[in-house]
Amino acid sequence: MRLLFTTAAGILAAGSVHAASWTLASHADYAFLDENQTGLQMTQGIAWNAGANEWVTSWQFGLARFTEDWQFIEASGRFDPATGQIFSGIPAALADRGFDHIGDFEIRDGIVHVPLDSAEDHYRNGHVALFDAATLSYTDMLHEMMGDPTNRRDDVASWTAIDHETGLGYGKEWALGDTLNVYDVTDWSYLGTLQMDQELKRVQGAKVLDGMMYLSTDIDTKSVYSLDLANGHVEELFRLPVFEGDIRFETEGLALRELADGSLEMFVEMVIDPEAEDGPLDAYTRLYRYVLENDPAPVPVPATLPLVLSGLAAFGLIRRRRA
């Protein structure tokens, strides 16, 4: 959750932009400061940990675990509303390096690939830290995540996305741009950029499934997009509801998983502050649940990193770092 929210007047229905589309199935609201500070724990990112049948979420200073039906298990950090003190779940070894902001993330083989940055330094210190998804403990593994040298150095690590089929990781600068940064997730070494056919900005989270990336944005329309990783085509899938009046609300991360019947399920986080003048402590997180019942056939994806890189290079989608 960034400190600056978007204020909007008027209301737009949550509608489909695309014909064979995602349907808004339900939503649930979680107060920031309930017994477990549930809503606060969901204000940055969200991912499904398939190996444990659990959800993992993040806020600016920590991670949390939830059961499949969203029952709280544990959290690595919390806020004391009586004193205003933050008990950070970011380990001292990382906090001492200035890291004070966790974004949306992905889980691979039981490891949470957490994007870290320094809010106090205007998001110029992008890294990825690895945490154990079962214990939320830091594994002492940290990698730089700065992307293309031409990226603006003011937020290139808002989120991480991983293609589990190819072993490629992705990120993007928060500013307007038409490329994705591509990484090797074994060490998050920078490989090049993937060209998109549309510029995107204020991307807050992303996930990859069957060769498609799904991205949540905090633009005025609160749009969720798909990106075909094979050809760079971007398409707007749907728009989250927009509230009327002096209400601050901000799109955050998203999670995606395939259900037993072959349909897809997507959760998208939105932080809502119903009384803008009072600040975010009276706010709550709304989880929107969308489903895609008639999932189109998966796009074939090469299974190995060398094949992917050779294919991207052949189509000019990867721009190599200059010597």
Short mmCIF file of all heavy atoms in Angstrom, two decimals, residues 106-147:
data_model
loop_
_atom_site.label_atom_id
_atom_site.label_comp_id
_atom_site.label_asym_id
_atom_site.label_seq_id
_atom_site.Cartn_x
_atom_site.Cartn_y
_atom_site.Cartn_z
N GLU A 106 5.59 -13.67 -5.77
CA GLU A 106 5.22 -14.99 -6.26
C GLU A 106 5.90 -16.05 -5.40
O GLU A 106 6.91 -15.79 -4.73
CB GLU A 106 5.62 -15.14 -7.73
CG GLU A 106 5.26 -16.48 -8.36
CD GLU A 106 3.76 -16.80 -8.33
OE1 GLU A 106 3.24 -17.04 -7.22
OE2 GLU A 106 3.13 -16.83 -9.41
N ILE A 107 5.30 -17.26 -5.42
CA ILE A 107 5.84 -18.40 -4.67
C ILE A 107 6.25 -19.47 -5.66
O ILE A 107 5.47 -19.83 -6.57
CB ILE A 107 4.79 -18.95 -3.69
CG1 ILE A 107 4.39 -17.88 -2.68
CG2 ILE A 107 5.32 -20.20 -2.97
CD1 ILE A 107 3.23 -18.27 -1.79
N ARG A 108 7.44 -19.99 -5.49
CA ARG A 108 7.94 -21.07 -6.36
C ARG A 108 8.64 -22.11 -5.51
O ARG A 108 9.57 -21.79 -4.77
CB ARG A 108 8.91 -20.50 -7.40
CG ARG A 108 9.41 -21.52 -8.43
CD ARG A 108 10.22 -20.80 -9.51
NE ARG A 108 10.53 -21.65 -10.64
CZ ARG A 108 11.74 -22.10 -10.94
NH1 ARG A 108 12.78 -21.77 -10.17
NH2 ARG A 108 11.93 -22.86 -11.99
N ASP A 109 8.16 -23.35 -5.59
CA ASP A 109 8.76 -24.45 -4.84
C ASP A 109 8.90 -24.14 -3.36
O ASP A 109 9.92 -24.41 -2.73
CB ASP A 109 10.14 -24.81 -5.43
CG ASP A 109 10.06 -25.30 -6.86
OD1 ASP A 109 9.01 -25.87 -7.23
OD2 ASP A 109 11.02 -25.09 -7.62
N GLY A 110 7.85 -23.56 -2.79
CA GLY A 110 7.84 -23.29 -1.36
C GLY A 110 8.63 -22.08 -0.92
O GLY A 110 8.78 -21.85 0.28
N ILE A 111 9.12 -21.29 -1.87
CA ILE A 111 9.90 -20.10 -1.55
C ILE A 111 9.17 -18.86 -2.05
O ILE A 111 8.73 -18.81 -3.20
CB ILE A 111 11.31 -20.17 -2.18
CG1 ILE A 111 12.08 -21.37 -1.63
CG2 ILE A 111 12.08 -18.88 -1.93
CD1 ILE A 111 12.35 -21.32 -0.13
N VAL A 112 9.05 -17.87 -1.18
CA VAL A 112 8.41 -16.61 -1.53
C VAL A 112 9.47 -15.66 -2.08
O VAL A 112 10.44 -15.34 -1.38
CB VAL A 112 7.72 -15.97 -0.32
CG1 VAL A 112 6.87 -14.78 -0.77
CG2 VAL A 112 6.85 -16.98 0.41
N HIS A 113 9.29 -15.23 -3.30
CA HIS A 113 10.21 -14.29 -3.94
C HIS A 113 9.66 -12.89 -3.72
O HIS A 113 8.80 -12.40 -4.46
CB HIS A 113 10.35 -14.61 -5.42
CG HIS A 113 11.01 -15.93 -5.69
ND1 HIS A 113 12.26 -16.05 -6.27
CD2 HIS A 113 10.61 -17.20 -5.42
CE1 HIS A 113 12.58 -17.32 -6.38
NE2 HIS A 113 11.60 -18.05 -5.87
N VAL A 114 10.18 -12.23 -2.69
CA VAL A 114 9.62 -10.98 -2.19
C VAL A 114 10.35 -9.78 -2.79
O VAL A 114 11.57 -9.64 -2.61
CB VAL A 114 9.73 -10.93 -0.65
CG1 VAL A 114 9.30 -9.57 -0.12
CG2 VAL A 114 8.89 -12.04 -0.03
N PRO A 115 9.64 -8.88 -3.48
CA PRO A 115 10.28 -7.66 -3.95
C PRO A 115 10.42 -6.67 -2.80
O PRO A 115 9.46 -6.41 -2.07
CB PRO A 115 9.31 -7.14 -5.02
CG PRO A 115 7.98 -7.64 -4.58
CD PRO A 115 8.23 -8.96 -3.89
N LEU A 116 11.61 -6.14 -2.64
CA LEU A 116 11.90 -5.20 -1.57
C LEU A 116 12.43 -3.89 -2.16
O LEU A 116 13.16 -3.89 -3.15
CB LEU A 116 12.96 -5.76 -0.62
CG LEU A 116 12.54 -6.84 0.37
CD1 LEU A 116 13.76 -7.36 1.11
CD2 LEU A 116 11.51 -6.31 1.37
N ASP A 117 12.07 -2.80 -1.51
CA ASP A 117 12.59 -1.52 -1.93
C ASP A 117 12.63 -0.59 -0.72
O ASP A 117 12.22 -0.97 0.39
CB ASP A 117 11.74 -0.91 -3.05
CG ASP A 117 12.58 -0.13 -4.05
OD1 ASP A 117 13.60 0.47 -3.62
OD2 ASP A 117 12.23 -0.10 -5.23
N SER A 118 13.13 0.62 -0.94
CA SER A 118 13.28 1.60 0.13
C SER A 118 12.36 2.78 -0.16
O SER A 118 12.68 3.64 -0.98
CB SER A 118 14.73 2.07 0.23
OG SER A 118 15.59 0.97 0.44
N ALA A 119 11.21 2.80 0.51
CA ALA A 119 10.25 3.89 0.28
C ALA A 119 10.85 5.23 0.65
O ALA A 119 10.60 6.24 -0.02
CB ALA A 119 8.98 3.63 1.10
N GLU A 120 11.64 5.27 1.70
CA GLU A 120 12.21 6.54 2.14
C GLU A 120 13.24 7.07 1.15
O GLU A 120 13.58 8.25 1.20
CB GLU A 120 12.84 6.38 3.53
CG GLU A 120 11.81 6.16 4.63
CD GLU A 120 12.42 6.22 6.01
OE1 GLU A 120 13.64 6.45 6.11
OE2 GLU A 120 11.67 6.04 6.99
N ASP A 121 13.72 6.22 0.26
CA ASP A 121 14.67 6.66 -0.77
C ASP A 121 14.01 6.69 -2.13
O ASP A 121 14.67 6.55 -3.16
CB ASP A 121 15.89 5.72 -0.79
CG ASP A 121 17.02 6.27 -1.65
OD1 ASP A 121 17.17 7.50 -1.69
OD2 ASP A 121 17.73 5.48 -2.28
N HIS A 122 12.68 6.85 -2.14
CA HIS A 122 11.92 6.98 -3.39
C HIS A 122 12.05 5.75 -4.28
O HIS A 122 12.11 5.87 -5.50
CB HIS A 122 12.33 8.24 -4.14
CG HIS A 122 12.21 9.50 -3.31
ND1 HIS A 122 11.01 10.05 -2.98
CD2 HIS A 122 13.17 10.27 -2.73
CE1 HIS A 122 11.22 11.15 -2.25
NE2 HIS A 122 12.51 11.29 -2.07
N TYR A 123 12.10 4.58 -3.69
CA TYR A 123 12.04 3.32 -4.43
C TYR A 123 13.17 3.20 -5.47
O TYR A 123 12.93 2.95 -6.64
CB TYR A 123 10.67 3.17 -5.11
CG TYR A 123 9.51 3.28 -4.15
CD1 TYR A 123 8.79 4.46 -4.05
CD2 TYR A 123 9.15 2.21 -3.34
CE1 TYR A 123 7.72 4.58 -3.16
CE2 TYR A 123 8.09 2.32 -2.46
CZ TYR A 123 7.38 3.51 -2.37
OH TYR A 123 6.32 3.62 -1.49
N ARG A 124 14.38 3.33 -5.03
CA ARG A 124 15.54 3.25 -5.93
C ARG A 124 16.47 2.09 -5.58
O ARG A 124 17.62 2.07 -6.00
CB ARG A 124 16.32 4.56 -5.89
CG ARG A 124 15.52 5.77 -6.35
CD ARG A 124 16.30 7.05 -6.17
NE ARG A 124 15.52 8.22 -6.58
CZ ARG A 124 15.92 9.48 -6.43
NH1 ARG A 124 17.09 9.73 -5.85
NH2 ARG A 124 15.16 10.47 -6.83
N ASN A 125 15.98 1.15 -4.79
CA ASN A 125 16.86 0.11 -4.25
C ASN A 125 16.26 -1.27 -4.46
O ASN A 125 16.19 -2.08 -3.54
CB ASN A 125 17.09 0.39 -2.75
CG ASN A 125 18.16 -0.48 -2.14
OD1 ASN A 125 19.06 -0.94 -2.84
ND2 ASN A 125 18.07 -0.71 -0.85
N GLY A 126 15.78 -1.56 -5.68
CA GLY A 126 15.04 -2.78 -5.93
C GLY A 126 15.85 -4.05 -5.73
O GLY A 126 16.93 -4.21 -6.30
N HIS A 127 15.30 -4.97 -4.95
CA HIS A 127 15.90 -6.27 -4.72
C HIS A 127 14.81 -7.33 -4.58
O HIS A 127 13.62 -7.00 -4.43
CB HIS A 127 16.76 -6.27 -3.44
CG HIS A 127 18.11 -5.65 -3.61
ND1 HIS A 127 18.28 -4.29 -3.79
CD2 HIS A 127 19.36 -6.20 -3.63
CE1 HIS A 127 19.57 -4.03 -3.90
NE2 HIS A 127 20.24 -5.16 -3.81
N VAL A 128 15.21 -8.59 -4.60
CA VAL A 128 14.33 -9.72 -4.31
C VAL A 128 14.94 -10.50 -3.16
O VAL A 128 16.11 -10.90 -3.23
CB VAL A 128 14.14 -10.64 -5.53
CG1 VAL A 128 13.28 -11.84 -5.17
CG2 VAL A 128 13.53 -9.87 -6.70
N ALA A 129 14.17 -10.71 -2.10
CA ALA A 129 14.60 -11.52 -0.97
C ALA A 129 13.78 -12.79 -0.94
O ALA A 129 12.58 -12.78 -1.26
CB ALA A 129 14.44 -10.76 0.35
N LEU A 130 14.40 -13.89 -0.56
CA LEU A 130 13.73 -15.19 -0.56
C LEU A 130 13.35 -15.59 0.86
O LEU A 130 14.18 -15.57 1.78
CB LEU A 130 14.62 -16.25 -1.18
CG LEU A 130 15.16 -15.96 -2.59
CD1 LEU A 130 15.86 -17.19 -3.15
CD2 LEU A 130 14.06 -15.49 -3.52
N PHE A 131 12.05 -15.95 1.03
CA PHE A 131 11.52 -16.37 2.32
C PHE A 131 10.90 -17.75 2.21
O PHE A 131 10.41 -18.14 1.14
CB PHE A 131 10.45 -15.38 2.80
CG PHE A 131 10.97 -14.04 3.25
CD1 PHE A 131 11.40 -13.10 2.32
CD2 PHE A 131 11.06 -13.73 4.59
CE1 PHE A 131 11.88 -11.87 2.73
CE2 PHE A 131 11.53 -12.49 5.01
CZ PHE A 131 11.94 -11.56 4.08
N ASP A 132 10.92 -18.48 3.30
CA ASP A 132 10.28 -19.79 3.36
C ASP A 132 8.77 -19.59 3.50
O ASP A 132 8.30 -18.95 4.45
CB ASP A 132 10.83 -20.57 4.56
CG ASP A 132 10.35 -22.02 4.58
OD1 ASP A 132 9.13 -22.25 4.43
OD2 ASP A 132 11.19 -22.91 4.77
N ALA A 133 7.99 -20.14 2.57
CA ALA A 133 6.55 -19.93 2.58
C ALA A 133 5.87 -20.60 3.78
O ALA A 133 4.81 -20.15 4.22
CB ALA A 133 5.93 -20.46 1.29
N ALA A 134 6.47 -21.65 4.32
CA ALA A 134 5.86 -22.38 5.43
C ALA A 134 6.09 -21.70 6.77
O ALA A 134 5.27 -21.81 7.69
CB ALA A 134 6.39 -23.81 5.49
N THR A 135 7.20 -20.97 6.90
CA THR A 135 7.55 -20.35 8.19
C THR A 135 7.64 -18.84 8.13
O THR A 135 7.77 -18.19 9.17
CB THR A 135 8.90 -20.89 8.68
OG1 THR A 135 9.93 -20.51 7.75
CG2 THR A 135 8.87 -22.42 8.80
N LEU A 136 7.62 -18.28 6.92
CA LEU A 136 7.78 -16.84 6.68
C LEU A 136 9.16 -16.33 7.11
O LEU A 136 9.36 -15.13 7.31
CB LEU A 136 6.68 -16.03 7.37
CG LEU A 136 5.24 -16.45 7.06
CD1 LEU A 136 4.27 -15.52 7.77
CD2 LEU A 136 4.98 -16.45 5.56
N SER A 137 10.11 -17.25 7.25
CA SER A 137 11.45 -16.86 7.69
C SER A 137 12.34 -16.54 6.50
O SER A 137 12.21 -17.12 5.42
CB SER A 137 12.07 -17.98 8.53
OG SER A 137 12.16 -19.18 7.77
N TYR A 138 13.25 -15.64 6.71
CA TYR A 138 14.19 -15.21 5.68
C TYR A 138 15.25 -16.28 5.46
O TYR A 138 15.79 -16.84 6.42
CB TYR A 138 14.83 -13.89 6.11
CG TYR A 138 15.86 -13.32 5.17
CD1 TYR A 138 15.66 -13.30 3.80
CD2 TYR A 138 17.03 -12.75 5.68
CE1 TYR A 138 16.60 -12.75 2.94
CE2 TYR A 138 17.97 -12.19 4.84
CZ TYR A 138 17.76 -12.20 3.47
OH TYR A 138 18.71 -11.65 2.63
N THR A 139 15.56 -16.57 4.21
CA THR A 139 16.52 -17.62 3.89
C THR A 139 17.95 -17.10 3.74
O THR A 139 18.84 -17.86 3.37
CB THR A 139 16.13 -18.31 2.57
OG1 THR A 139 16.26 -17.38 1.49
CG2 THR A 139 14.70 -18.85 2.64
N ASP A 140 18.16 -15.82 3.98
CA ASP A 140 19.46 -15.17 3.82
C ASP A 140 19.90 -15.08 2.36
O ASP A 140 21.09 -14.91 2.08
CB ASP A 140 20.55 -15.89 4.63
CG ASP A 140 20.30 -15.79 6.13
OD1 ASP A 140 19.84 -14.72 6.58
OD2 ASP A 140 20.55 -16.78 6.83
N MET A 141 18.95 -15.17 1.44
CA MET A 141 19.27 -15.02 0.02
C MET A 141 18.62 -13.74 -0.49
O MET A 141 17.41 -13.52 -0.34
CB MET A 141 18.78 -16.23 -0.77
CG MET A 141 19.45 -17.53 -0.37
SD MET A 141 19.01 -18.91 -1.45
CE MET A 141 19.83 -18.43 -2.97
N LEU A 142 19.46 -12.88 -1.11
CA LEU A 142 19.02 -11.57 -1.58
C LEU A 142 19.64 -11.31 -2.95
O LEU A 142 20.83 -11.55 -3.15
CB LEU A 142 19.45 -10.49 -0.60
CG LEU A 142 19.08 -9.05 -0.94
CD1 LEU A 142 17.58 -8.83 -0.82
CD2 LEU A 142 19.83 -8.07 -0.03
N HIS A 143 18.83 -10.82 -3.89
CA HIS A 143 19.32 -10.55 -5.24
C HIS A 143 18.86 -9.15 -5.68
O HIS A 143 17.77 -8.71 -5.33
CB HIS A 143 18.78 -11.58 -6.25
CG HIS A 143 19.05 -12.99 -5.87
ND1 HIS A 143 20.32 -13.52 -5.82
CD2 HIS A 143 18.20 -14.00 -5.50
CE1 HIS A 143 20.24 -14.79 -5.46
NE2 HIS A 143 18.98 -15.11 -5.27
N GLU A 144 19.71 -8.50 -6.44
CA GLU A 144 19.33 -7.20 -6.99
C GLU A 144 18.25 -7.37 -8.05
O GLU A 144 18.22 -8.35 -8.79
CB GLU A 144 20.56 -6.53 -7.62
CG GLU A 144 20.30 -5.10 -8.09
CD GLU A 144 21.53 -4.44 -8.68
OE1 GLU A 144 21.93 -4.86 -9.79
OE2 GLU A 144 22.09 -3.54 -8.03
N MET A 145 17.33 -6.40 -8.12
CA MET A 145 16.28 -6.41 -9.13
C MET A 145 16.12 -4.98 -9.65
O MET A 145 15.23 -4.24 -9.25
CB MET A 145 14.96 -6.89 -8.52
CG MET A 145 13.83 -7.05 -9.53
SD MET A 145 12.25 -7.47 -8.72
CE MET A 145 11.19 -7.68 -10.15
N MET A 146 17.00 -4.61 -10.57
CA MET A 146 17.01 -3.24 -11.08
C MET A 146 16.62 -3.13 -12.54
O MET A 146 16.42 -2.03 -13.05
CB MET A 146 18.40 -2.61 -10.86
CG MET A 146 18.77 -2.47 -9.40
SD MET A 146 17.66 -1.39 -8.47
CE MET A 146 18.11 0.18 -9.14
N GLY A 147 16.53 -4.27 -13.24
CA GLY A 147 16.03 -4.24 -14.60
C GLY A 147 16.97 -3.59 -15.60
O GLY A 147 18.18 -3.50 -15.39
#
